[in-house]
């Protein structure tokens, strides 16, 4: 492989690695916020899922994806995956609230 190609490939991969790290950190911040939402919902015995909000978020994210030249279907799949994880966690918090278990200590979000 030509040295200039190897150098460019390495530079591009370094950029991808940095973006991946940023995505992980941004997701961690998002999950910290949804953790607070989950606690609030559990305290007030609100449902874990909010289908109307989820639909609005999916519509919004698809529009953002189109503007960013990203496949809207991919963006929707990603958000659906995230939403499912958030709902799962909200259900866990609600269950712990009912049983008096409190928050899990090793919280990922």
């Amino acid at each position: 492989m030509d040295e200039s190609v190897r150098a460019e490939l390495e530079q591009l991969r370094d950029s991808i690695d940095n973006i991946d790290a940023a995505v992980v950190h941004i997701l961690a911040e998002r999950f910290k916020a949804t953790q607070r939402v989950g606690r609030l919902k559990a305290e007030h015995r609100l449902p874990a899922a909010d289908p109307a909000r989820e639909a609005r978020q999916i519509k919004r994210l698809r529009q953002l994806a189109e503007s960013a030249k990203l496949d809207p279907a991919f963006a929707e799949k990603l958000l659906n995956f995230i939403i499912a994880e958030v709902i799962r966690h909200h259900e866990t918090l609600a269950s712990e609230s009912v049983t008096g278990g409190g928050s899990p200590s090793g919280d990922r979000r």
Side-chain angles (χ1 to χ4, degrees):
M1 181 183 313
D2 182 276
E3 187 54 39
S4 66
V5 173
R6 184 183 312 275
E8 184 176 359
L9 185 59
E10 187 174 319
Q11 183 180 21
L12 290 168
R13 287 179 173 165
D14 286 346
S15 179
I16 290 167
D17 292 350
N18 288 336
I19 293 166
D20 288 346
V23 167
V24 167
H25 288 285
I26 288 169
L27 282 172
E29 286 303 310
R30 188 189 195 286
F31 282 116
K32 285 177 189 173
T34 63
Q35 174 76 2
R36 292 189 300 266
V37 169
R39 285 187 188 123
L40 187 62
K41 284 181 172 184
E43 288 171 14
H44 296 278
R45 301 197 189 286
L46 298 171
D50 184 344
R53 165 133 173 99
E54 293 158 22
R56 287 190 309 272
Q57 285 298 95
I58 288 168
K59 181 180 178 183
R60 180 178 159 270
L61 194 70
R62 286 184 67 92
Q63 291 170 341
L64 288 170
E66 285 180 26
S67 296
K69 307 285 191 249
L70 180 67
D71 179 5
F74 169 76
E76 183 173 346
K77 286 177 192 175
L78 178 61
L79 186 61
N80 281 327
F81 179 78
I82 292 169
I83 288 170
E85 181 66 12
V86 168
I87 291 170
R88 184 193 66 76
H89 196 259
H90 287 184
E91 289 169 344
T92 299
L93 287 171
S95 173
E96 290 171 351
S97 177
V98 168
T99 62
S103 292
S105 58
D107 189 19
R108 301 188 312 248
R109 296 182 220 179

